[in-house]
Amino acid sequence: MKKSDKQKRERTPLWRNPRLRYGSFSVLVICLLIGALVALNFAMTALEKKNGWRVDYSFNAVTTQSETTLDVLAQLEHPVHIYALYTKGQEDAQLLELLDRYAAASDLVTWEQTDASLNPGLLTKFRGTTSDETVSNDSLIVYCEDTNRWRILSPLDFLSLSLNYDEGQYEIAGLKYESELTSAIVYVTRETIPRVCILQGHGELDESGTSTLKTLLESNNFSVEYISLLDSDTELTSDDLLMILSPVRDLMDTELTKITEFIGKGGNILFTCDYTDPVEDMPNYSALLRSYGINPLKGIVVASEEESDTYYDNVRINLIPTMQSTDMTLDLVQSNADTLLLTGCRAFETPEESDQNLDVSVLLTSGYKAYLRDLSTGNLSLSQEADDAIGPFALALQCRRVTTDGYISKAVVLGCSTLLTSSQVQAMTDAQEFIVTTVQYLANGAAIDLGIMAKTAVRPQLSVRATTLGSVILVTLPLLVVAVAIAVLLPRRRK
């Protein structure tokens, strides 16, 4: 071989070498290159998943975490493991991507996907939770081994519903992936959980009647128990919140003694007192109310036709009360979260001037021209009579008393229980915010209000302004392709 040919071959670029362009060597190089690209893809995917590098381009940023969640994850002290119960191929991709981001944000959060039907041990291990929900596919189990506490999240927990007034039915309005996940993590990792005790045994609202209330409280990191004070094993501590919800039979002396001891140590109570409750026939219960300066009035509050903004849907016992600014409700009033609906409401005597041992404030008031109809006389007409008392009436009270031992006991009384029990009322109004605020106040601020907003579930409709950029791109891209084609083909034609 001539020296010049050898030098010419040495100067030939690698990609023009015939050995590379033809034969088994080229196949080997291509396979190695493809293998390297596949390995690089797997490596980058693993790093992207581990570090949460994937950018959320969804219209509602459903997998993007808020600063609140990042703060919660940064302050975690106990490891949390999440079981995503999904059959292969039927996963909720958005939810699993969000779980990746939680795991990337904290080394204490881990998760795995498993099929409940293939892992019966989960059904046994997490059976008997305080929640009414059961373990099934399409659910999440958020579990903390250190506290041995867990929460089961079903698909419905991740949906925010709103009432369509035209159709008269609920519609999906938002996605609550982040708020439910973060709330569950807070719940399972807390050292202690504030307890709400709902009294039973006197015809009060029972478990079925308070299921909506229980769900709301549990989602805000309270535990809910139904208790009987006739049970010798039942003990109330000053950290508990006692709820006495519309009883129709009187307290026994032994029960009143236990409640009095509970109050004396700084225990707090939430009362509801519907207009149908026979309060005048329950002396022990009446005495308990009077100890807080609460004096129920007989009858049902009816709004005046002249004050159309004080009732709803032309039904004058569907009251829209005015929320007063107190230390409990000030934030609600200032943020305009003060719209409530009270259906069939009792009134209370307007409190006199407070003293150093008892302070009673009005929370909710009726319209100035509302009147009080006493239906116990047998006259069931809601039309105003000459001797009917005229408003405004106190529809809810906030009480604070100093006990003989120097403790402070607080109470709130509502003249209508539907505020707590009706899911429709809670969907239409700011009832949930009011309930959570009230319970937090009575539980001495023990709960954590995360305030994570639901993400929009339905993509907003396009507006004229929103289509402008798309129209420009739609016209510009074809013109750009034509310009490039002309720039390439025109010189060739001249050759």
Side-chain angles (χ1 to χ4, degrees):
M1 182 182 294
K2 296 181 180 180
K3 184 176 181 180
S4 59
D5 294 338
K6 182 178 180 180
Q7 291 176 346
K8 183 177 180 181
R9 189 177 63 180
E10 290 177 351
R11 291 195 300 269
T12 301
L14 178 63
W15 56 86
R16 293 185 178 179
N17 192 313
R19 294 178 59 193
L20 181 61
R21 297 174 63 185
Y22 307 102
S24 58
F25 182 70
S26 62
V27 174
L28 177 61
V29 171
I30 292 174
C31 290
L32 290 176
L33 181 60
I34 293 175
L37 291 175
V38 170
L40 179 62
N41 180 62
F42 276 112
M44 294 304 297
T45 300
L47 288 173
E48 181 184 60
K49 180 177 179 180
K50 179 180 179 181
N51 298 286
W53 288 342
R54 183 174 298 177
V55 179
D56 185 357
Y57 289 111
S58 60
F59 76 95
N60 55 0
V62 70
T63 64
T64 300
Q65 298 158 298
S66 65
E67 289 298 325
T68 301
T69 291
L70 295 177
D71 290 342
V72 168
L73 297 178
Q75 297 174 20
L76 276 182
E77 297 180 355
H78 302 288
V80 175
H81 189 69
I82 302 174
Y83 297 92
L85 307 182
Y86 287 99
T87 303
K88 288 291 185 181
Q90 299 180 8
E91 302 90 347
D92 185 335
Q94 292 180 326
L95 180 56
L96 298 192
E97 184 173 340
L98 185 59
L99 292 178
D100 283 337
R101 293 181 183 274
Y102 274 72
S106 174
D107 294 335
L108 294 178
V109 176
T110 56
W111 74 277
E112 64 176 290
Q113 180 180 343
T114 185
D115 192 328
S117 61
L118 301 178
N119 196 346
L122 290 177
L123 304 179
T124 302
K125 182 175 182 179
F126 298 106
R127 183 178 298 169
T129 174
T130 56
S131 174
D132 292 332
E133 296 167 314
T134 57
V135 178
S136 62
N137 269 344
D138 301 331
S139 300
L140 292 187
I141 302 174
V142 182
Y143 175 56
C144 177
E145 185 177 6
D146 290 355
T147 63
N148 195 30
R149 194 180 303 124
W150 64 87
R151 173 167 285 172
I152 300 171
L153 299 175
S154 70
L156 291 179
D157 291 324
F158 298 123
L159 301 179
S160 174
L161 303 179
S162 64
L163 183 64
N164 185 323
Y165 295 97
D166 296 330
E167 300 292 335
Q169 61 185 8
Y170 290 101
E171 296 179 344
I172 298 175
L175 301 174
K176 301 189 296 180
Y177 289 133
E178 183 190 2
S179 61
E180 291 297 320
L181 269 174
T182 303
S183 178
I185 290 173
V186 171
Y187 171 78
V188 301
T189 56
R190 292 189 68 175
E191 296 295 340
T192 58
I193 299 297
R195 186 173 68 148
V196 175
C197 300
I198 301 178
L199 186 63
Q200 300 290 277
H202 314 88
E204 303 96 337
L205 298 176
D206 57 12
E207 293 190 41
S208 61
T210 57
S211 59
T212 299
L213 174 64
K214 180 182 178 183
T215 299
L216 175 62
L217 294 179
E218 288 181 342
S219 66
N220 282 273
N221 303 318
F222 287 94
S223 67
V224 179
E225 297 182 15
Y226 296 87
I227 66 168
S228 170
L229 294 178
L230 295 178
D231 188 346
S232 59
D233 295 333
T234 300
E235 293 186 4
L236 291 171
T237 69
S238 58
D239 293 328
D240 295 329
L241 169 58
L242 178 62
M243 289 189 176
I244 305 178
L245 306 179
S246 303
V248 295
R249 294 190 298 273
D250 201 11
L251 301 169
M252 297 185 66
D253 293 342
T254 54
E255 294 176 299
L256 182 59
T257 299
K258 285 187 177 182
I259 295 176
T260 302
E261 292 174 352
F262 167 70
I263 293 171
K265 296 178 181 179
N268 302 322
I269 304 179
L270 173 63
F271 300 96
T272 61
C273 191
D274 292 310
Y275 79 96
T276 56
D277 297 344
V279 179
E280 59 277 2
D281 298 329
M282 298 186 286
N284 284 342
Y285 181 57
S286 296
L288 178 61
L289 293 174
R290 287 196 301 271
S291 69
Y292 284 104
I294 300 170
N295 293 298
L297 300 177
K298 185 181 292 187
I300 182 173
V301 180
V302 183
S304 170
E305 286 184 335
E306 300 177 23
E307 298 176 318
S308 58
D309 59 335
T310 65
Y311 59 94
Y312 172 71
D313 199 26
N314 293 322
V315 180
R316 291 189 289 124
I317 61 171
N318 287 342
L319 305 182
I320 301 176
T322 300
M323 186 179 296
Q324 305 299 311
S325 295
T326 70
D327 58 332
M328 189 185 91
T329 60
L330 182 61
D331 289 342
L332 294 176
V333 174
Q334 290 182 342
S335 61
N336 295 320
D338 56 354
T339 301
L340 302 176
L341 180 62
L342 307 178
T343 301
C345 193
R346 181 191 285 272
F348 305 94
E349 283 188 8
T350 302
E352 300 178 354
E353 292 186 8
S354 305
D355 58 40
Q356 61 180 356
N357 294 322
L358 180 63
D359 179 48
V360 183
S361 303
V362 177
L363 285 178
L364 306 173
T365 59
S366 69
Y368 280 84
K369 296 184 178 181
Y371 55 92
L372 195 62
R373 287 289 300 125
D374 184 2
L375 304 181
S376 64
T377 61
N379 181 3
L380 302 183
S381 172
L382 295 179
S383 300
Q384 187 172 4
E385 302 289 341
D387 57 348
D388 289 341
I390 306 298
F393 298 103
L395 307 179
L397 299 175
Q398 172 186 337
C399 313
R400 180 180 178 274
R401 59 171 289 195
V402 180
T403 69
T404 55
D405 293 331
Y407 294 96
I408 296 177
S409 176
K410 296 178 290 188
V412 169
V413 61
L414 306 175
C416 176
S417 62
T418 56
L419 194 68
L420 307 182
T421 60
S422 172
S423 58
Q424 183 175 358
V425 169
Q426 293 181 15
M428 293 170 56
T429 69
D430 300 311
Q432 289 191 347
E433 291 83 350
F434 177 77
I435 294 168
V436 172
T437 298
T438 301
V439 174
Q440 287 178 345
Y441 168 78
L442 295 174
N444 299 314
I448 296 178
D449 183 12
L450 297 174
I452 300 174
M453 300 297 293
K455 303 295 179 67
T456 303
V458 181
R459 183 185 295 273
Q461 295 182 350
L462 289 176
S463 62
V464 175
R465 181 178 298 179
T467 60
T468 301
L469 179 60
S471 301
V472 172
I473 295 176
L474 187 64
V475 174
T476 303
L477 284 180
L479 292 178
L480 184 61
V481 171
V482 171
V484 172
I486 293 175
V488 172
L489 295 177
L490 190 58
R492 293 185 178 182
R493 183 179 180 182
R494 292 175 178 175
K495 291 180 181 181

